[in-house]
Every structure is written in C-alpha cells, then in structure tokens.
Amino acid sequence: MNVAIVTVGDELLAGETVDTNSAWLASELADRGCIVTRITTVPDQIETIAAVVNEYRAANDAVVVTGGLGPTHDDRTMAAVAAAVGRELEHHPEAEAWLTSEGGYSADDLDAGTTDLPAGARMLPNEVGVAPGAVIESIYVLPGVPAEMKAMFEHVADEFSGEPIYTEIVVADEPESALLDRLETVQERFAVDVGSYPGEYVRVKFRGGDSDAVAEAAAWFGKQVTVADIDDGDSS
C-alpha cells in the first residue's frame, strides 16, 4: 500500500513549529507494511493544498493530510480537500451529534464551521480536541495537534496495511567512503534495499520483503567490514 503524507501550515514552513507528525505517521505506516512515497509540507492555501492532494491521490493508495482543521480563518484544509474531490463543504450532523453527546459541547458552544465536512465524508471523532477529522475517498484528514492526530489515527490505523518489511542493521567502524565497493557488491548480490547513514559510525540498513534475503545480506556484509563494538539498539 503506497501512502503519501501532506502536512499543512504556514508555521511549519516558517520554522516556528517542528513537524513531528510526518515522522510519527511514517513510522506507524511503515510498521504496518505501507510504503510512504512522499512527505510534503504546504502552506495554508486552498489552491496549493488541493493541487498537492489531487496529485498524490492519483499516484497512491491513500493520502494522509494533517493540520489546518477548525473554524478559524487560517484553517483551510477541509475546504481544500473538498475542492480536490469536487465536493462542497456542508454541515455534518454526525459530527455535531458526536461533539454534543460525547465531546461535552452544546450546539451553541460550537463555532460556525466546526462541523463542516466535505459532502459524503466519513467523520472521524476528535477525542482529544474539538475539530473532527474526515475520510473522503482515499484521503484521510487529521488534526495538526500531535496528541489529537495520534488519537484520531488509531480510529483508522487498521485501514493501512501492506506486506511485512524486514530490517537488519550493521554498524561499521570504517569511513563511508571506504565502504563503497562492498556496498555496491552487497546490492548486486542480494535483492534488498541498502542504505548507509554516516555519523560517528556508519549504520548500514538492509530492508526487504524476504526476511531470509535481508538476514543473509546483513550477515555477508558484516563479515566484510569492521563492525563497530557498540550496542546498536535501533533495528527500525
């Protein structure tokens, strides 16, 4: 299952807020066997959000959008997603019913637009905040507040799945430039994805859908290099 992630917010692009949502979502999706093909941050502009969502939904099985939900002037994500699928925003009775029965609000407490969702959307309850999320076609719209986003994702997590991806890591105590020949050879010999990540040591990650091939590639590579004498607990 291929999934694209779109995070929305001028504050993200200005560096005023760190985008932790995309990293968390990517990890959760990868754990479920999904392939994250894109992570993109866009401003609070309806035309830009709609264009990116449309592009990504055409090329992926699902698009997860976070941020820009609510009734304030700069919360434009729902309107943008509605535009992307050619639907109108409209009052969603189920969203209001949930907020008044489970959320503890009265209808008079809710700001205008709080319960407006794209026509035909499935409402996702916000158990941590106020603004509901939505699923429309293959687009999942979640809040930008991390606690709200994580809680809402649990409602749809089972809808994301794919083939298991297996990972092995070898930590080499050699410069990355000195490993180039062996990195090339291991990629030629084994049908796995190989990534190298330099730092104090070089972490070489082997990934693939065949657990035996991944294990064999890592074992072979580990015999060809000087392995760092450390406890590398990160096997993700």
Side-chain angles (χ1 to χ4, degrees):
M1 183 176 188
N2 291 340
V3 184
I5 298 171
V6 180
T7 59
V8 179
D10 293 341
E11 71 281 4
L12 300 176
L13 293 169
E16 297 168 356
T17 300
V18 176
D19 174 21
T20 59
N21 285 350
S22 60
W24 186 88
L25 282 167
S27 177
E28 290 292 311
L29 292 166
D31 286 347
R32 290 166 171 77
C34 298
I35 298 173
V36 176
T37 63
R38 294 287 189 276
I39 296 177
T40 299
T41 301
V42 296
D44 294 302
Q45 298 172 357
I46 290 177
E47 296 82 2
T48 303
I49 301 167
V52 171
V53 169
N54 249 337
E55 177 187 346
Y56 289 174
R57 77 186 181 107
N60 294 274
D61 299 301
V63 180
V64 180
V65 186
T66 73
L69 303 192
T72 60
H73 72 283
D74 59 348
D75 291 325
R76 298 168 177 164
T77 298
M78 281 300 182
V81 171
V85 296
R87 307 194 187 193
E88 297 293 327
L89 274 184
E90 61 180 32
H91 172 67
H92 198 291
E94 185 182 354
E96 181 176 308
W98 191 89
L99 283 167
T100 55
S101 63
E102 303 293 333
Y105 299 91
S106 70
D108 292 338
D109 290 333
L110 299 174
D111 293 325
T114 299
T115 58
D116 288 352
L117 303 179
R122 168 166 45 116
M123 185 273 296
L124 297 177
N126 191 334
E127 297 173 341
V128 180
V130 179
V135 181
I136 183 70
E137 299 184 11
S138 60
I139 306 166
Y140 293 75
V141 188
L142 310 179
V145 178
E148 298 179 24
M149 181 274 296
K150 292 176 182 179
M152 193 175 290
F153 180 77
E154 293 305 315
H155 288 277
V156 297
D158 290 343
E159 298 175 27
F160 295 89
S161 63
E163 295 298 321
I165 301 295
Y166 302 95
T167 301
E168 296 277 353
I169 292 176
V170 175
V171 183
D173 190 7
E174 300 182 39
E176 186 180 38
S177 59
L179 298 173
L180 295 180
D181 57 339
R182 284 157 289 176
L183 288 170
E184 181 178 352
T185 301
V186 73
Q187 291 181 86
E188 292 173 349
R189 293 186 56 159
F190 301 93
V192 299
D193 294 327
V194 182
S196 62
Y197 308 95
E200 182 180 0
Y201 302 101
V202 180
R203 297 172 65 253
V204 181
K205 181 179 289 188
F206 303 89
R207 299 177 72 250
D210 184 331
S211 60
D212 290 338
V214 171
E216 290 169 6
W220 180 88
F221 190 78
K223 294 177 181 178
Q224 313 304 315
V225 303
T226 303
V227 176
D229 185 18
I230 62 170
D231 180 16
D232 184 60
D234 182 5
S235 60
S236 60

